[in-house]
Amino acid sequence: METFINPKSLFHLLLLPCLLLYSSIAYNSSPVEAAMHTNNWAVLVCTSRFWFNYRHMANTLSLYRTVKRLGIPDERIILMLADDMACNTRNKYPAQVFNNENHRLNLYGDNVEVDYRGYEVTVENFLRVLTGRHETAVPRSKRLLSDEGSHILLYMTGHGGDEFLKFQDSEELQSHDLADAVKQMKEKHRFKELLIMVDTCQAATLFNQLQSPGVLAIGSSMKGENSYSHHLDSDVGVSVVDRFTYYTLAFFERLNIYDNASLSSLFSSYNPSLLMSTTYYRKDLYKRRLEEVPVTNFFGSVMETIHTDAAYKALSRRNSGRFEDEMSLDQSVHHIKRRMLIKVNDGDEIHDINPELLQGEEGASKCPWSTFRNKFQKAENVDSLLNYGLVAMIPLLVISTWLVQ
Amino acid sequence: MVLLQRPHILLLLIDTHQFLQCWIAFGSANEEGQQQEEFSEELLVKPLPDHKLLAHFHFQSSAPPSTSNGCHHHLFPKAISQLVQKFRVKEMELSFTQGRWNYESWGGFDPISSSNAKPPGVELWAVFDVPQHHIDASWKNLTHTLSGLFCASINFLESTATYSTPEWSFPPASGNVRYGTFPCEAVCTENLTPWLRLLPCRDKAGIALLLDRPSLYRGFYHSQRLHLTSTESSSEGIDSGIILEQTLTVVLQPNSERAIEVHASEKHVQPSWSLSSIFGKQVSGRCVLAKSSSVYLLLDWGLVAELKFPNKENGKSAANGLTSENFWSNPSFELSVNPDRIFLEESSSHSKSLSILYMFQVEKYSESEPFDIGLMWKVPVAWLCQQTPLHASRFFMGSGNERGAIAISLKSTQFTEGFMSANSKDGSCELRVDVFQVVPWYVKVYFHSLRVFVDQQPRAVSDFIEKIHVSPSKDKMSPGVMEVVLKLPCRVNTAALTIEFDKGFLRIDEYPPDANQGFDIPSAIISFPNFHASMVFLEDDSLNRSPLLSKFQEKCPVMSYTEVLLVPLTTPDFSMPYNVSTIKCTVFALYFGSLLNVLQRRVAEEERFLKAKAAKKTGRLPLLLSKLSAKLRGSGINQD
């Protein structure tokens, strides 16, 4: 038995703090934190087959219509419908779907674009869409091509139970599967904020396993509660809409793309006595205050516009964006600072950016170690202090392992 | 080094090649300036014998073979040209159909029915211009692309178990053809909308304005078809010319309430209709991008024969009466709009009568004066459409969930005896029938059990089957394909083919969610290669400009599809795996758990361990110190 420390393991141990430091810097500058809101996506899923589940399709199509009305284009909506109700032979109104017995609004208008339908709506395909693991042949229109700045609305309706959602009456999506998929999405930088809205029985249980930050979830009913349909259309012959979705739509029908209604006003608009169930929303993973987040953050496509006076600014911004891709992670710290700078003095010229910073960037691109040195010299924020603390832990770790051997 | 340099050289070569080609193409385009992209829209309306109405929309776009504008197109849909270029599709046809074409009352011997009557669901076939070993990959990519383009689950056709390779019986048999159908696919608005997006005017102007979704899908039959042919590219790289033909065939029931009120006593009066009454919309002018935009009203020769005037016995003279100047005041019907042209069928093998085609040009109409033709019947008429030589139907035999037999029965329609005599050569008249049948692998067909019945008598297979090609199915790999050429005597009344099968088993996860509904067996294709459905209208220079009429003139073999069969397979108890695993787990937990516990437990050892633990209750720090001192003294060697 050797008492001396293997030189190789020593090397590893030395490498460890470096890695740790590097990773912490990388984490600080990870694009997730810095990404601006770039686009909005919606994944709308109806998981129920068979004619008597007409209302689930009507639910999904109502949401489809709403998000389209509020500005999300068709190419950024993934619509999954498990059965064909519009041209079903049982449908008295061919190519039309209604969510109200007054038949004032045909949800299945002329421009509906269904991406997954019929047998394609499976748990596998659903998870593939979320995680983006497709076969190469799958066309773009069937993919969720979101990025790290995307806000995604995930709406699901169907028959559910304690921690599961039934797909097509033959498979189940479990809360673990959903949480896992969301976690993968987070890891792959596929979203910035995600709102999961579920209209099933015991919908709240589906969110139990979620862990990823930036996820907001709302369900139509608590554990042990059922979600009920709203009313029956005697012409169509089945219930046409569920209560939760009905009141969601009632909320949205009053809005247009310019409204500033907040998510909390949506969440508080649900009346348990009308719903006959208690809505549940989980916001512990979501950082922003719901009072400040407009509903169009998820249900519409409202971008923050940055005003510039000259055309060249936009160009230079674009250039800097390209830089960002090319630069390594640690350099983008500077870049983000610069970006913040731009945001602060909005009206200022972009050429006003501290040339030293730019210089620093160039220098950094030559020698990554200089960034480390800079970091050590500055030690200005708590995070880096923390990092040094972690580095200081390393000798302790070395000694203790040596002792244990 | 050679390897490193090679891509550069290659790139350079490609660059110069392309440049040269562009240059050449540019020059040629300048020379022949008439080569332009063209689009035409046409609608053909035809009354059907069973009080229904056939509306056949025909849109044709063509892109000439040139690179004069690179990948840019003026009218031609870019998505299609990219698809053709990427997958090197020589010819392709995709159809979405709901409902079944009623061959008995809507006819089967005219160009519309033989090329636009399609099996329910999706049918796709494609011919590729790629090496043999790349075809399957191209097919797979094509199905995915089309599924994205048309919002359909065509991508289910990618698996080898769903498509087949017809050898020779399928009409466009030219080698690299792949054929697949998906009978249970739903067809609805979302498939029509992308199809309409391929038109330069979409559904915003022109004839496509009529396509009101609810009235279309209320019909008895609708089939939306997309056929594209790319002309042979002379050399690689040069854009090939593409002809895209989009047709939509609908059979609708005109709103006949008014007619019933008026002629309550006479049940046989055809319902009067107008475009606005059947579609709820009118045509307000043409699509300005279209080269030609016209509406036709076709009166079948059977109908024309019925409409003959009392004093004239000859069908020809009846036709003359209908085409004469005062056609609108003829005693049988009344047209609301005067036709711009009247075409008479030039000649046909049947001598009884000739079809008449009224042509209306949409150009003359505008927003203020929309185009809306109507037809008002005055007297009851009854006629029959011309049918296929043999009427084909297919059904199951046998009972139980284990085995059965498929029977394809052919019945003489007694309608085409004239042709038969015309076709007979020195008395030995023979009728050739091609049968193409694809069977999914889980219906295990025994090809040796093929039997032929002619006039209800079992006959030797070799007497009537001239040629047969079978490719047996492989489990989960490929479907069974049977191609048969039958030679039947002309005077045959009935003929039947039967073939036995065993029902296979699927794995529990291979069943669709609605497994109890049953599984579809795709339609068989029955074609009559000796008969050609074509309608030649009197030669006129304007005829050459109408793609629809020139399509009618083409000789396409008469084809009909049989019904889709629904075979119930034995379905397992889908909850069984859960039951099994639940009980298994219970048994494990109760029995093995306790048994292991009993076997593994060593009571004496446990007691000793507890005692030792109690004794060793010293602090952590002294332990650490002692360890440290031991290390420093170098006595840590004896650790184990």
Side-chain angles (χ1 to χ4, degrees), chain B residues 15-31 67-68 238:
Chain B
D15 269 3
T16 45
H17 191 196
Q18 279 185 347
F19 177 73
L20 272 174
Q21 273 175 1
C22 275
W23 192 67
I24 291 164
F26 199 68
S28 64
N30 280 350
E31 280 164 25
T67 49
S68 56
I238 290 190

Side-chain angles (χ1 to χ4, degrees), chain B residues 1 9 14 22 33 44 49 73 75 101 173 202 279 285 332 383 452 483 487 576 586 608 623 633 639:
Chain B
M1 276 312 285
I9 294 168
I14 288 168
C22 275
L44 183 132
H73 294 284
L75 299 172
W101 181 265
R202 310 209 165 170
F279 291 110
S332 349
W383 76 100
V452 181
E483 294 167 78
K487 280 267 163 140
M576 211 184 62
T586 317
R608 205 183 323 142
L623 193 74
R633 272 183 277 121
Q639 278 185 344

Side-chain angles (χ1 to χ4, degrees), chain B residues 539-599:
Chain B
E539 205 54 60
D540 195 322
D541 54 328
S542 78
L543 263 184
N544 295 330
R545 285 195 273 125
S546 164
L548 177 65
L549 296 191
S550 48
K551 190 85 201 160
F552 278 4
Q553 290 185 10
E554 278 174 24
K555 280 196 163 187
C556 57
V558 174
M559 248 168 79
S560 64
Y561 287 86
T562 63
E563 302 90 339
V564 168
L565 289 178
L566 198 61
V567 49
L569 291 189
T570 41
T571 50
D573 175 9
F574 288 107
S575 62
M576 211 184 62
Y578 302 100
N579 299 342
V580 168
S581 55
T582 312
I583 196 148
K584 225 151 102 186
C585 290
T586 317
V587 167
F588 264 104
L590 283 178
Y591 180 71
F592 284 99
S594 51
L595 189 73
L596 279 175
N597 196 6
V598 167
L599 286 176

Side-chain angles (χ1 to χ4, degrees), chain A residues 131-178:
Chain A
T131 54
R133 296 168 197 270
H134 290 283
E135 271 185 75
T136 45
V138 172
R140 279 174 74 87
S141 66
K142 290 187 163 189
R143 293 171 187 244
L144 179 71
L145 298 165
S146 57
D147 54 43
E148 65 217 9
S150 299
H151 289 184
I152 302 180
L153 166 72
L154 170 59
Y155 174 85
M156 290 189 279
T157 179
H159 292 284
D162 191 2
E163 303 217 1
F164 72 85
L165 168 63
K166 274 179 99 169
F167 266 68
Q168 301 248 17
D169 208 23
S170 66
E171 302 177 278
E172 288 91 31
L173 173 83
Q174 296 202 344
S175 58
H176 287 89
D177 301 334
L178 181 67

Side-chain angles (χ1 to χ4, degrees), chain B residues 113-220:
Chain B
S113 60
S114 57
S115 62
N116 291 292
K118 288 284 166 193
V122 167
E123 187 200 46
L124 172 71
W125 60 259
V127 186
F128 296 95
D129 189 18
V130 292
Q132 202 68 35
H133 57 282
H134 284 155
I135 293 180
D136 287 315
S138 292
W139 170 265
K140 184 184 166 186
N141 288 327
L142 179 72
T143 55
H144 274 283
T145 311
L146 289 174
S147 84
L149 208 58
F150 291 104
C151 292
S153 352
I154 309 172
N155 50 325
F156 281 119
L157 293 178
E158 66 155 344
S159 88
T160 50
T162 50
Y163 68 87
S164 53
T165 313
E167 285 293 320
W168 35 259
S169 76
F170 193 61
S174 52
N176 310 337
V177 63
R178 292 289 181 276
Y179 173 87
T181 57
F182 190 53
C184 52
E185 176 77 352
V187 183
C188 208
T189 317
E190 68 261 29
N191 305 118
L192 182 66
T193 306
W195 185 84
L196 284 171
R197 269 189 206 142
L198 301 177
L199 306 177
C201 292
R202 310 209 165 170
D203 56 346
K204 305 290 179 224
I207 288 171
L209 206 61
L210 287 174
L211 296 169
D212 172 50
R213 314 299 197 277
S215 32
L216 279 186
Y217 291 107
R218 196 171 286 131
F220 291 85

Side-chain angles (χ1 to χ4, degrees), chain B residues 135-424:
Chain B
I135 293 180
D136 287 315
S138 292
W139 170 265
K140 184 184 166 186
N141 288 327
L142 179 72
T143 55
H144 274 283
T145 311
L146 289 174
S147 84
L149 208 58
F150 291 104
C151 292
S153 352
I154 309 172
N155 50 325
F156 281 119
L157 293 178
E158 66 155 344
S159 88
T160 50
T162 50
Y163 68 87
S164 53
T165 313
E167 285 293 320
W168 35 259
S169 76
F170 193 61
S174 52
N176 310 337
V177 63
R178 292 289 181 276
Y179 173 87
T181 57
F182 190 53
C184 52
E185 176 77 352
V187 183
C188 208
T189 317
E190 68 261 29
N191 305 118
L192 182 66
T193 306
W195 185 84
L196 284 171
R197 269 189 206 142
L198 301 177
L199 306 177
C201 292
R202 310 209 165 170
D203 56 346
K204 305 290 179 224
I207 288 171
L209 206 61
L210 287 174
L211 296 169
D212 172 50
R213 314 299 197 277
S215 32
L216 279 186
Y217 291 107
R218 196 171 286 131
F220 291 85
Y221 172 87
H222 61 90
S223 171
Q224 128 195 9
R225 196 173 69 105
L226 180 137
H227 183 112
L228 66 88
T229 336
S230 75
T231 51
E232 201 65 46
S233 50
S234 50
S235 67
E236 59 195 271
I238 290 190
D239 259 2
S240 47
I242 312 164
I243 293 171
L244 171 69
E245 185 195 320
Q246 288 172 266
T247 63
L248 176 71
T249 312
V250 263
V251 176
L252 299 163
Q253 178 78 62
N255 245 341
S256 53
E257 286 157 25
R258 198 165 55 90
I260 287 169
E261 276 170 30
V262 176
H263 305 278
S265 54
E266 302 162 62
K267 274 193 173 175
H268 293 291
V269 175
Q270 290 272 330
S272 303
W273 52 267
S274 66
L275 283 187
S276 57
S277 77
I278 47 174
F279 291 110
K281 288 180 178 177
Q282 292 173 324
V283 182
S284 56
R286 67 190 185 112
C287 166
V288 285
L289 296 169
K291 199 191 68 172
S292 69
S293 173
S294 34
V295 175
Y296 300 92
L297 171 68
L298 176 68
L299 299 185
D300 211 25
W301 62 265
L303 174 59
V304 173
E306 286 295 318
L307 290 178
K308 59 191 169 188
F309 298 100
N311 56 346
K312 289 171 184 171
E313 294 304 310
N314 195 341
K316 188 103 180 170
S317 57
N320 284 338
L322 288 171
T323 51
S324 66
E325 278 305 305
N326 58 348
F327 57 89
W328 55 84
S329 62
N330 78 62
S332 349
F333 65 89
E334 197 177 319
L335 283 175
S336 67
V337 183
N338 294 354
D340 296 303
R341 270 192 127 82
I342 299 165
F343 296 114
L344 199 64
E345 199 180 357
E346 194 173 45
S347 66
S348 58
S349 37
H350 48 81
S351 51
K352 289 178 197 163
S353 183
L354 297 168
S355 308
I356 295 178
L357 195 67
Y358 297 106
M359 179 184 165
F360 306 88
Q361 272 173 338
V362 185
E363 278 107 81
K364 299 194 302 185
Y365 301 89
S366 65
E367 199 86 48
S368 53
E369 191 201 348
F371 172 71
D372 183 17
I373 72 164
L375 193 141
M376 175 96 169
W377 291 99
K378 292 178 185 166
V379 292
V381 274
W383 76 100
L384 286 173
C385 282
Q386 195 183 3
Q387 300 192 2
T388 49
L390 297 172
H391 178 257
S393 64
R394 196 177 60 163
F395 51 88
F396 272 134
M397 300 196 301
S399 60
N401 266 341
E402 201 181 346
R403 62 178 69 88
I406 303 173
I408 297 173
S409 106
L410 304 163
K411 258 187 215 139
S412 174
T413 48
Q414 308 289 342
F415 210 83
T416 42
E417 283 188 6
F419 301 92
M420 309 255 181
S421 53
N423 265 356
S424 68

Side-chain angles (χ1 to χ4, degrees), chain A residues 87 108 110 117 119 402 405, chain B residues 185-186 188 190 193 514 631:
Chain A
C87 291
Y108 219 70
D110 285 352
R117 59 176 201 174
Y119 296 147
W402 176 60
Q405 272 185 349
Chain B
E185 176 77 352
C188 208
E190 68 261 29
T193 306
D514 50 356
K631 281 260 177 192

